[in-house]
Amino acid sequence: MEHRQLQTLLSGLFPPWPHLSDREQQELAAHSRLIRYSAGSNLHSRDLDCIGMLLIISGELRIYLLSEEGREITLYRLHQGEACVLSAACVLSSITFEVHIDAEQATEIIAIGPDACERLMQSNIYAECFAYKLATERFSQVMWAMQQLLFISLDRRLALFLQQELARRNDKSLNYTHEQIARYIGSARETISRMLKYFVEEGIVELSRGEIRVIDEEKLRQLAEG
């Protein structure tokens, strides 16, 4: 990709861009690269080098913890126009835990190299504030995920997930497998299948192959609110 095209993308995806000097903009673009990932690709784990900050052009990333036994806990997901800062843990000394990052669908990102990130944060207060503000927001999402897992019943967690996805997609049908939902809310596929069957019996959803259709949003809202 041409340097100028990369700068145009960065200007739309990196909020501190207008506050960077010409030299900083040039250096940031020079140390950024466009990467395309296929669905299911792993971008970041404890076994891979620090990739830096990720800016999502299109697609979806899932950030999760992986136990030694292989259990996954999804912390949050990111979509078009959002940024991932936990992939730059080598730059932000306040991040002390390892996360895994997968592309949930075909995804296109701009990766800002860790060295360039670190230099920019040291020289530009706007870039530093953006990075730490983003880290704080992501930590809040991590805490919400932990709160759900520890203190909220599975039926309510599932209802909250469906409700949030309906709002995000502005559609009453969701194309998720039971395995995917289990990963997203920290459960087992068999348990999600049983819970969705209960939702069907309650007249909340209809199920077809690879699709969940909400037919009673009011019941779903009541269940989500507990």
Side-chain angles (χ1 to χ4, degrees), residues 3-23:
H3 190 76
R4 188 172 297 278
Q5 289 178 303
L6 197 53
Q7 283 187 306
T8 300
L9 286 171
L10 283 167
S11 68
L13 293 168
F14 190 62
W17 182 265
H19 302 287
L20 307 187
S21 67
D22 289 342
R23 181 188 61 79

Side-chain angles (χ1 to χ4, degrees), residues 29-48:
H31 292 85
S32 299
R33 57 197 176 113
L34 178 71
I35 311 176
R36 295 181 177 90
Y37 292 97
S38 58
S41 298
N42 178 248
L43 286 67
H44 179 79
S45 68
R46 63 170 62 94
D47 300 322
L48 298 176

Side-chain angles (χ1 to χ4, degrees), residues 64-221:
Y64 62 99
L65 298 177
L66 182 64
S67 72
E68 293 182 359
E69 297 77 24
R71 184 185 178 192
E72 297 179 5
I73 298 177
T74 298
L75 302 176
Y76 53 86
R77 290 176 293 148
L78 298 174
H79 305 90
Q80 179 179 346
E82 296 186 299
C84 181
V85 70
L86 293 190
S87 55
C90 53
V91 178
L92 299 174
S93 58
S94 57
I95 299 177
T96 57
F97 60 94
E98 290 286 345
V99 297
H100 294 253
I101 303 173
D102 287 355
E104 288 293 280
Q105 52 187 257
T107 301
E108 190 173 39
I109 67 163
I110 290 178
I112 303 174
D115 292 340
C117 279
E118 187 170 18
R119 286 194 296 271
L120 186 61
M121 287 172 60
Q122 290 174 351
S123 66
N124 189 292
I125 188 64
Y126 293 98
E128 182 182 31
C129 288
F130 169 71
Y132 281 107
K133 179 176 182 291
L134 196 59
T136 301
E137 291 173 355
R138 299 298 176 241
F139 182 69
S140 178
Q141 289 175 293
V142 170
M143 292 304 295
W144 171 238
M146 293 298 102
Q147 180 183 341
Q148 284 190 308
L149 193 62
L150 294 172
F151 304 119
I152 299 179
S153 62
L154 180 60
D155 59 345
R156 189 180 169 206
R157 294 207 322 264
L158 180 55
L160 281 166
F161 170 79
L162 295 177
Q163 189 179 53
Q164 290 164 359
E165 290 300 301
L166 288 178
R168 186 173 69 82
R169 294 172 179 271
N170 195 27
D171 193 345
K172 292 187 178 181
S173 295
L174 303 175
N175 297 108
Y176 288 126
T177 66
H178 297 187
E179 179 68 33
Q180 284 177 304
I181 296 174
R183 288 203 309 267
Y184 293 157
I185 68 173
S187 185
R189 182 188 60 78
E190 296 81 5
T191 307
I192 294 300
S193 296
R194 287 196 297 270
M195 190 59 66
L196 284 171
K197 184 179 178 181
Y198 165 71
F199 280 22
V200 170
E201 293 170 351
E202 291 296 307
I204 299 173
V205 302
E206 290 179 341
L207 302 180
S208 57
R209 188 174 182 83
E211 182 180 74
I212 302 168
R213 181 171 180 80
V214 175
I215 58 176
D216 195 326
E217 292 188 64
E218 179 58 25
K219 279 188 178 180
L220 183 69
R221 183 189 64 78

